Amino acid sequence: MKTAGVIGGGAWGTALALVCARAGLATTLWAREPEVVSAVNETRENKTFLPGVVFDAPVRATGDLADLAGADFVLNVTPAQHFRASLDAFRPHARAGVPMVLCSKGVEQGTLKLMTEVLDEGLPQALPAVLSGPSFAADVARGLPTAVTLACPNDEIGFQIATALSLPTFRPYLATDMIGAEIGGAVKNVLAIACGIAEGKGLGRSAHAALITRGFAEMTRMAVALGAQAETVAGLCGLGDLVLTCSSPQSRNMSVGLALGGGQTLEQALAGKVSVAEGVASAPAVVALARKLEVEAPICEAVAAILAGQAQVDEAIAGLLSRPIRSER
């Protein structure tokens, strides 16, 4: 594999385009925003979503998805709620059998489908893979050491993509369980909002650790109910991503929770943010999916209720703390 296309010119898409370029791939980055395209091509920087990172490898930006038609593989990094629309737009240019690496994290509202299911409907001729793991875009863009999960049911294609992306500072670990990789990435964003709320309320590190642990139990229950392997969720794409996203205000989702815990409204918490906090959009879909699967997810439910204005922060916390005593397992 010698060429890569990236759909999505946000911070994460830009960082992954840099990974591709540093690995020696001829890399084309599609962005919806004309100002991002011009900035990348003229100044070698995405000033809108990743300011301060000057590209150290050649990336060509475009506003025309047809320019990605010849790529050996494509990374789709559009937000989960816009993923289906991106497939519709790319379909006229997609060749049969193109490997598409899904880098969006979320559950589609309304359909309650994971991104692999949306891909199967919107671009069934593509070969799917999922990339997920503890990876802040700024860290990856600056070349700091990062390890991720690359889940692909086709062992040969998975190995080729992992080899093509591999760098001393970017290490993909192979897996075949795409559902496990996906659900980890979707649920951890909601749980990061919960941890941010606890931090904003000053509930202490013990509460923070409890939220991560019990949140991981919710994530694992949902994954297993969907047919995933618990071992996948215990890896980089589940537990690893959960620990990172729930432990730093650099996380967009945790920063939203911090603002809510500090007394701000959701509108105030989101004001001025140019990047998407996926957990805000995914929370109601994650909760609806858990109910459909008949899986208990009280932390996710509390976050969704707060975001929807159905519960105040203190009320939601009190509800979690007054749940009946039961076995940990």
Side-chain angles (χ1 to χ4, degrees), residues 254-274:
M254 187 175 181
S255 69
V256 169
L258 279 166
L260 294 172
Q264 294 186 25
T265 65
L266 179 59
E267 290 72 21
Q268 291 170 329
L270 295 176
K273 293 186 183 298
V274 294

Side-chain angles (χ1 to χ4, degrees), residues 162-183:
T163 302
L165 292 175
S166 180
L167 293 168
T169 55
F170 192 83
R171 183 175 177 82
Y173 282 80
L174 288 167
T176 57
D177 179 12
M178 293 193 299
I179 295 176
E182 283 193 278
I183 201 66

